[in-house]
Amino acid sequence: MVRKVIVSVLVSFDGYMADEQGDTMPLMKNYKKDLTYIKKITTPADFDTIIVGKNTYLKEAYELTELAKKGKKIYVLTHQQDLAIKVKNLFFEDCDVAELVERLQQQPGENIWVYGGSHVINQFTSRDLVDEIHLYTVPIELKQGIVLFDARYQPPTVELLEITQNDEITYSRWGKGVTNE
């Protein structure tokens, strides 16, 4: 099986993944009763490796550490090696993202999930390192905040592979045109 690199993210219909402070709660406000539902639908199937940035790690350190303890490999992209803690399957990387992807794709395993903010996602999408982008678009207009695809980066070269709607959330899967299914 080829290990795909997947980005999976919740986004407003005007292209924002968080408000100005980096908070994603405005996107989830209609689903406060069941935030686990949002986590469940935005978590890709068949992955054993997660790549996150430092900020996402700091926000979700407990949850990510628990996933590492359950066998998921977590790679945190950071220049701050003083953040590193000794937990099995939790790795702190200060390297080029293309080198990391190449190294991980040479190892056996399931898909690789790039999880985090726009800066991390754009490092992968702008260099054509992502096989699929899973967008979960909520019917909310933020009008400002943190955009998913930053104009300073090269936009991803993808085509629409699938689109469905469920519970007012539109799911679209974008890729290089090869579904590998």
Side-chain angles (χ1 to χ4, degrees), residues 98-118:
E99 292 172 13
L100 178 59
V101 166
E102 183 179 339
R103 184 169 23 117
L104 293 175
Q105 286 183 322
Q106 291 176 0
Q107 299 171 5
E110 297 181 73
N111 293 326
I112 301 162
W113 179 20
V114 177
Y115 175 65
S118 140

Side-chain angles (χ1 to χ4, degrees), residues 12 14-23 26-27 140-148:
S12 66
D14 56 348
Y16 294 95
M17 58 185 299
D19 67 14
E20 301 89 3
Q21 290 77 38
D23 190 0
L27 294 171
I140 294 171
E141 183 179 22
L142 290 182
K143 298 182 183 176
Q144 56 188 1
I146 299 172
V147 293
L148 174 56

Side-chain angles (χ1 to χ4, degrees), residues 31 33 52 60 65 67 87 111 132 134 144 154 163:
Y31 304 97
K33 292 177 269 178
V52 300
E60 300 188 28
T65 302
L67 286 171
V87 173
N111 293 326
E132 291 186 6
H134 300 185
Q144 56 188 1
Q154 179 72 26
I163 189 164

